[in-house]
Amino acid sequence: MSEITLISKVHKEIGKCNSEELNKILQSINPDVIFLEEIENNYSIYNQMQFSQFGVYHERLEIKAIQTYSQNHSFEYVPVLDVGLSDEFEKFITIVSQNMGYQRLLEKYNSLEKIGGFKFLNSEINIVLQEEMRELGNCIIDNEIFHKKVIASIDEYENSMLRNIYSFCNKKSFTRAIFMCGAAHRKTIVEKIIEYEMKENIKLNWTFYNDI
């Protein structure tokens, strides 16, 4: 049975959340397939050529870690995003980010992220704080119809990634893979994985980094 490890991550380097630490995790798992929460254009053939020929690293820490890993390992890179998040979601983030209470909670989160690195991003504490920020955001914007649109956008965003992973696994075999996805999605992605495992014909051995 193919094994996939879910790793929660962020795009920008901060403290222990950096490409070097993520590369250590990749080295320890040694995947032959890397699924990434990314659209194809964000790490294009041109970007890959720039790195292979001129050593130009990508600005996103997870892609930079993949580039470093590629120097000594062979694997298949699979971007799994079909769609971006909606305008409603972007509006939600813009509005709540201006709230002082939300900013204080975000500062606390960023401090833990800086100190705890990927162990924090892949922990229950991360999930709890993400839920706190989400609930506070819902209180800041008191509009049920708007919230439903935001939730629908996130659902489609996450489902598109899992659909593409299962589609790939139906066509190709592999031993070990990782799926790197934003830390804000960890709780709902884990819930969706459980649902997919119940309904899909192909069964995958899912593990969750730092889930101990």
Side-chain angles (χ1 to χ4, degrees):
M1 184 183 295
S2 298
E3 180 177 305
I4 306 179
T5 301
L6 174 67
I7 302 174
S8 298
K9 50 83 177 178
V10 288
H11 293 313
K12 295 182 179 179
E13 295 190 310
I14 174 172
K16 287 189 176 180
C17 284
N18 57 62
S19 61
E20 290 83 4
E21 291 299 314
L22 181 53
N23 182 52
K24 290 177 184 177
I25 297 172
L26 300 186
Q27 298 276 357
S28 68
I29 297 173
N30 192 27
D32 43 312
V33 176
I34 296 179
F35 299 109
L36 184 61
E37 176 200 1
E38 230 15 299
I39 60 173
E40 187 173 354
N41 288 344
N42 281 351
Y43 187 41
S44 63
I45 297 298
Y46 175 71
N47 295 140
Q48 296 175 44
M49 180 274 292
Q50 280 190 310
F51 175 70
S52 62
Q53 294 190 13
F54 306 109
V56 178
Y57 282 93
H58 202 279
E59 61 181 7
R60 291 181 183 251
L61 83 84
E62 67 272 39
I63 297 179
K64 186 176 179 182
I66 289 173
Q67 290 173 321
T68 303
Y69 180 74
S70 72
Q71 293 177 316
N72 297 302
H73 299 81
S74 297
F75 61 92
E76 185 165 1
Y77 166 68
V78 185
V80 293
L81 268 184
D82 288 332
V83 295
L85 289 162
S86 67
D87 291 340
E88 285 84 4
F89 176 83
E90 298 299 337
K91 183 178 179 181
F92 175 84
I93 295 298
T94 299
I95 293 172
V96 301
S97 296
Q98 297 172 10
N99 179 274
M100 291 298 295
Y102 189 90
Q103 290 175 8
R104 285 193 292 271
L105 191 55
L106 186 59
E107 286 175 4
K108 175 183 177 181
Y109 183 91
N110 289 339
S111 177
L112 290 170
E113 183 180 87
K114 182 177 181 179
I115 297 170
F118 290 95
K119 286 189 177 180
F120 165 69
L121 292 180
N122 292 269
S123 69
E124 286 298 318
I125 298 173
N126 164 70
I127 291 175
V128 169
L129 288 176
Q130 289 284 353
E131 286 296 297
E132 284 186 34
M133 287 189 285
R134 192 171 291 113
E135 290 173 5
L136 179 56
N138 291 340
C139 292
I140 294 168
I141 304 176
D142 186 15
N143 186 323
E144 186 176 351
I145 295 175
F146 182 76
H147 290 161
K148 286 181 178 179
K149 290 181 179 179
V150 172
I151 291 170
S153 171
I154 295 171
D155 275 342
E156 176 54 28
Y157 184 89
E158 294 174 346
N159 284 328
S160 72
M161 292 190 284
L162 289 176
R163 279 197 306 268
N164 286 327
I165 288 173
Y166 276 86
S167 175
F168 178 94
C169 294
N170 271 307
K171 297 172 184 175
K172 296 186 178 182
S173 60
F174 58 88
T175 303
R176 285 181 302 277
I178 61 168
F179 170 32
M180 290 194 283
C181 186
H185 300 283
R186 187 174 181 84
K187 181 176 183 290
T188 46
I189 283 289
V190 170
E191 292 170 349
K192 286 180 169 67
I193 286 171
I194 294 171
E195 293 176 3
Y196 268 76
E197 281 297 289
M198 293 176 64
K199 68 181 182 181
E200 292 289 331
N201 291 326
I202 185 170
K203 301 302 177 185
L204 303 171
N205 182 19
W206 283 95
T207 60
F208 307 105
Y209 178 72
N210 201 40
D211 189 12
I212 56 175

